[in-house]
Amino acid sequence: MDERERPIDPAGTYGRPGRSAMPARGGGVPSRSHDDGSHGSSRDLQIAAALVLGGAVGTIFGAKALRERRTGHPDDDAPMTAARRQGGDFDLVGRSVTINKPRAELYAFWRDFSNLPQVMENVERIEPKGAKINNWVIDAPAGRTVNVVTETVDDVKDERIGWRSTPDSDIQTHGHVTFRDAPGGRGTYVDLVIAYDPPLGEMGRLAAKLFQREPEIQARRDLKRFKMLMETGEVATSRNRKAS
Amino acid sequence: MRALTWHGTHDVRVDSVPDPEIVNPRDAVIKVTSTAICGSDLHLYDGVIPGMQSGDVLGHEFMGEVVETGSKSTLKKGQRVVIPFTISCGSCFFCEKQQYSACDNSNPVAKQDASEALYGHAMSGLFGYSHLTGGYAGGQAEYVRVPFSDVGPLVVPDHLEDDKVLFLTDILPTGWMAADNADIEPEDTVAVWGCGPVGLFAVQSALLMGAHKVIAIDHYPHRLELAKKLGAETIDFQKTDVREALMEMTGGIGPDAVIDAVGMESHGFGVQNVFDSAKQKVGIGADRPDALRQAILACRKGGRVSMPGVYGGLVDKFPLGALMEKGLQLRTGQTHVQRYIKDLMDRIEKGEIDTTFLISHHLPLEEAPTGYKNFSEKQNEWTKVVLRPGQ
């Protein structure tokens, strides 16, 4: 297997080793059921929780078995973020985009977290609090903000970056972004996967509202803005004047 | 500034709206000297394109003088430029392949969701053509903000007056690409449905590309006369059975290539078109593809179907069997203007192509609503309206 494609998996979100780093359907972050409420058994949920919160190595086959047992179908090659049905405690969002730039350039932009608010619509600012610690200030409804402190838990130059919230954050979340050479000189495949725990409490409800406002769309839009900025040097807008 | 704004079906007005300014580094602002009403603007006027909002500034055929430039623009103040209606970044995968109208980066991110849901992929940005294509303010106005001004605009020499080069923005390259998509071989016979501006330019282009014979189909006598002057043979579909005529005019073979320059609001007389028309009027996203159906049935076996006509939604009774069983090729798309515009300007400068014959009316911008009404209702006489802002 190509070193570049080895799935490194702080969040346990990859399905199994030995294939593309695209997060696999049936992988390790079981998440909340979106359609028909058919959650897995409580044992499944325990396994799920272990996979997610433990971020454990060696859980991959467990995750695959979990999913195969739930669906009655053998696993396929699609990313698990494209699954028709997800189950478990964590919600999962993932998108891929191809950017016509070399991996190193994209990695360098992302590695400096303070750049990300340029492309992430609902992130007001990201303040570095140490070599691996960043404080994300995220816009919430009614003019409020939520704070998420993340620790960078995986960082391989020009390949991938993974982060995870610290326990005192308003939202429990983790995510990773991977950069792979696209075939045919098309630049780089960028895969973004974010898992988050729908939180409790007043702040949690705010945050949930924020994140559950079509998080899939949010992720797609953020990645497309990233693509625009990297490929064209600006983010397209049809506004006709500077002040909105 | 003054600008032509859309307020609903058959309701366009000239309003005062805020002047545009430089927003992004690659922008320029253009003071419009000439701008035309396009046949595809009539689809907006008739309310059959989704994603319009009240107050949208229309217009995607415009040229003018550069009055402001962003820090990354390559234009200079005072230059005369024609502006492609397709907004293209020049650096994405598609732009690098010269598929400029498929640009990934010109439609603002939040505007991409609708076309991604409708078509499976987001469309690129176009000027003045609904929020599906970005919601960009259009060119039927005194000033326009032009994004990616280092890629799209073409500087024109002073000796080429506006009327000679204005149609480089859309309809001339669209007619040219229609013929290009028909893969014309020397001595081919090509049939063109629709003698509006794009159809007429497709006739002209097909002949320049070496077609033996071009047959133009319409029912407006004046438009058929214009096609004849360009060198086409003509069929009036009100008088003549089109398919039978085409078979007889091609020795029973059928045209080698067919071009549908009509699009979604076809005026056919088939029973099917009555149902299509009714569905379109109640707004269920149905296109009226009568010309396209006829073109596919007429095309010779193994022939080519080129479809510059605009479609926005779904069609019924599409002759898929004919397409497959006859082994036809179908090519279409919004025009990759930037791919063709320089070559076409050179041809205009050399006198190979003259597009001024098409213009029937010049109006001040303030009279644009009259222009829309007449271009829509008196298609025989009103072949092309050019608006002059500031007059």
Side-chain angles (χ1 to χ4, degrees):
Chain A
M1 168 173 131
D2 187 333
E3 170 64 23
R4 194 176 66 239
E5 294 189 338
R6 176 172 303 164
I8 294 296
D9 196 10
T13 43
Y14 289 133
R16 58 183 184 230
R19 58 182 219 199
S20 131
M22 289 287 280
R25 181 189 285 192
V29 175
S31 55
R32 186 166 299 266
S33 169
H34 287 293
D35 46 10
D36 61 3
S38 61
H39 294 272
S41 69
S42 64
R43 179 169 154 69
D44 282 350
L45 290 177
Q46 281 168 12
I47 295 171
L51 297 186
V52 171
L53 298 174
V57 183
T59 57
I60 289 156
F61 296 105
K64 177 171 153 55
L66 178 95
R67 181 177 162 81
E68 288 184 354
R69 190 163 35 148
R70 189 163 55 234
T71 61
H73 287 258
D75 203 15
D76 64 14
D77 292 322
M80 73 171 173
T81 49
R84 290 192 186 281
R85 191 166 66 201
Q86 298 175 347
D89 280 347
F90 269 57
D91 279 342
L92 183 64
V93 170
R95 294 299 293 198
S96 298
V97 70
T98 304
I99 302 182
N100 196 5
K101 287 286 173 186
R103 272 189 291 142
E105 203 174 313
L106 305 181
Y107 167 87
F109 179 91
W110 202 288
R111 182 65 188 79
D112 180 355
F113 278 71
S114 66
N115 280 328
L116 297 182
Q118 291 178 61
V119 296
M120 291 185 167
E121 191 177 34
N122 62 341
V123 177
E124 195 173 286
R125 60 185 188 277
I126 299 179
E127 300 152 341
K129 297 285 180 190
K132 292 184 170 184
I133 307 294
N134 286 284
N135 181 35
W136 302 47
V137 182
I138 300 171
D139 292 327
R144 304 178 66 169
T145 57
V146 293
N147 283 278
V148 177
V149 178
T150 60
E151 181 185 4
T152 304
V153 292
D154 181 33
D155 184 4
V156 179
K157 188 170 160 45
D158 302 342
E159 288 185 16
R160 60 182 181 261
I161 303 166
W163 59 94
R164 175 196 309 252
S165 56
T166 56
D168 55 344
S169 294
D170 293 332
I171 308 167
Q172 291 305 306
T173 178
H174 37 223
H176 58 241
V177 59
T178 59
F179 307 97
R180 296 177 292 139
D181 290 333
R186 292 185 183 203
T188 304
Y189 285 161
V190 180
D191 303 317
L192 171 68
V193 177
I194 296 173
Y196 57 92
D197 186 12
L200 303 170
E202 191 206 356
M203 223 43 196
R205 279 196 299 277
L206 263 179
K209 208 170 166 186
L210 178 72
F211 270 87
Q212 286 173 355
R213 194 193 59 208
E214 305 184 78
E216 191 74 35
I217 290 175
Q218 194 73 54
R220 181 173 72 209
R221 289 180 174 183
D222 288 350
L223 273 186
K224 282 184 172 174
R225 274 187 216 96
F226 179 45
K227 175 183 166 73
M228 283 178 173
L229 189 63
M230 293 293 96
E231 288 186 346
T232 76
E234 58 190 52
V235 175
T237 175
S238 54
R239 276 191 294 119
N240 243 1
R241 300 179 66 81
K242 277 172 227 148
S244 53
Chain B
M1 68 167 181
R2 303 289 284 167
L4 189 278
T5 55
W6 185 93
H7 293 272
T9 301
H10 298 162
D11 182 3
V12 291
R13 307 170 201 166
V14 178
D15 285 339
S16 290
V17 302
D19 286 0
E21 54 188 23
I22 301 291
V23 178
N24 271 338
R26 294 169 65 182
D27 291 354
V29 174
I30 307 297
K31 181 175 196 275
V32 178
T33 52
S34 292
T35 176
I37 303 174
C38 180
S40 61
D41 287 330
L42 295 183
H43 300 318
L44 304 174
Y45 185 67
D46 291 340
V48 297
I49 297 277
M52 291 297 295
Q53 293 174 12
S54 185
D56 284 350
V57 178
L58 303 190
H60 55 269
E61 297 180 1
F62 60 98
M63 61 179 296
E65 184 193 326
V66 179
V67 290
E68 253 188 285
T69 54
S71 60
K72 297 273 177 63
S73 174
T74 51
L75 296 176
K76 293 182 181 63
K77 283 183 198 173
Q79 283 179 321
R80 280 176 75 225
V81 284
V82 289
I83 312 294
F85 78 100
T86 45
I87 305 173
S88 308
C89 77
S91 44
C92 68
F93 171 77
F94 300 98
C95 286
E96 284 188 353
K97 285 176 84 79
Q98 293 202 311
Q99 294 175 331
Y100 294 101
S101 72
C103 174
D104 249 350
N105 293 322
S106 57
N107 193 349
V109 167
K111 308 274 184 185
Q112 292 188 13
D113 297 337
S115 56
E116 189 159 336
L118 256 178
Y119 303 139
H121 289 86
M123 295 182 70
S124 56
L126 307 177
F127 286 103
Y129 213 74
S130 92
H131 290 259
L132 285 183
T133 56
Y136 285 98
Q140 288 159 10
E142 291 183 277
Y143 297 92
V144 185
R145 170 185 162 245
V146 178
F148 303 126
S149 65
D150 53 326
V151 174
L154 179 70
V155 178
V156 292
D158 285 341
H159 67 271
L160 292 175
E161 67 214 49
D162 280 17
D163 283 356
K164 283 196 168 159
V165 291
L166 176 59
F167 302 146
L168 287 168
T169 56
D170 174 356
I171 50 177
L172 177 58
T174 298
W176 187 267
M177 186 166 113
D180 195 25
N181 275 346
D183 281 339
I184 294 165
E185 291 169 11
E187 304 303 307
D188 269 357
T189 296
V190 180
V192 179
W193 274 254
C195 296
V198 169
L200 290 170
F201 290 149
V203 166
Q204 211 173 8
S205 304
L207 288 168
L208 278 170
M209 290 178 190
H212 163 71
K213 178 157 66 177
V214 178
I215 303 169
I217 303 151
D218 204 308
H219 65 301
Y220 292 112
H222 177 58
R223 292 186 173 209
L224 287 169
E225 193 186 306
L226 290 175
K228 209 173 194 68
K229 277 190 194 156
L230 292 170
E233 296 179 11
T234 59
I235 295 174
D236 180 338
F237 71 75
Q238 280 190 343
K239 291 191 207 160
T240 303
D241 181 311
V242 175
R243 202 182 78 84
E244 199 176 323
L246 287 171
M247 291 298 280
E248 297 308 310
M249 292 161 88
T250 56
I253 296 171
D256 301 288
V258 296
I259 297 175
D260 166 15
V262 176
M264 66 196 289
E265 293 187 83
S266 180
H267 291 130
F269 287 112
V271 173
Q272 189 55 49
N273 200 259
V274 177
F275 292 120
D276 291 335
S277 183
K279 278 180 290 192
Q280 209 168 42
K281 287 203 171 85
V282 300
I284 56 175
D287 294 343
R288 280 154 46 194
D290 227 35
L292 181 62
R293 288 185 190 118
Q294 207 170 56
I296 288 172
L297 289 180
C299 189
R300 77 153 161 84
K301 289 182 281 187
R304 288 91 58 190
V305 182
S306 165
M307 199 178 87
V310 172
Y311 292 89
L314 309 171
V315 299
D316 284 339
K317 309 292 186 293
F318 181 76
L320 193 56
L323 190 75
M324 187 273 162
E325 299 292 355
K326 293 202 287 183
L328 306 184
Q329 293 176 45
L330 174 63
R331 288 173 71 188
T332 183
Q334 294 283 1
T335 309
H336 307 303
V337 178
Q338 291 89 335
R339 187 198 290 176
Y340 301 104
I341 189 169
K342 180 72 178 69
D343 171 54
L344 289 170
M345 189 176 76
D346 292 345
R347 288 172 187 269
I348 288 170
E349 207 166 4
K350 282 187 270 178
E352 272 180 49
I353 295 177
D354 172 31
T355 60
T356 54
F357 72 92
L358 188 66
I359 301 170
S360 57
H361 295 79
H362 289 96
L363 295 177
L365 178 66
E366 294 296 326
E367 289 175 33
T370 310
Y372 270 82
K373 191 168 177 357
N374 288 320
F375 189 40
S376 174
E377 293 173 4
K378 300 178 184 166
Q379 298 200 358
N380 189 45
E381 300 81 18
W382 288 66
T383 50
K384 192 71 182 178
V385 182
V386 174
L387 305 169
R388 305 265 202 230
Q391 281 189 5

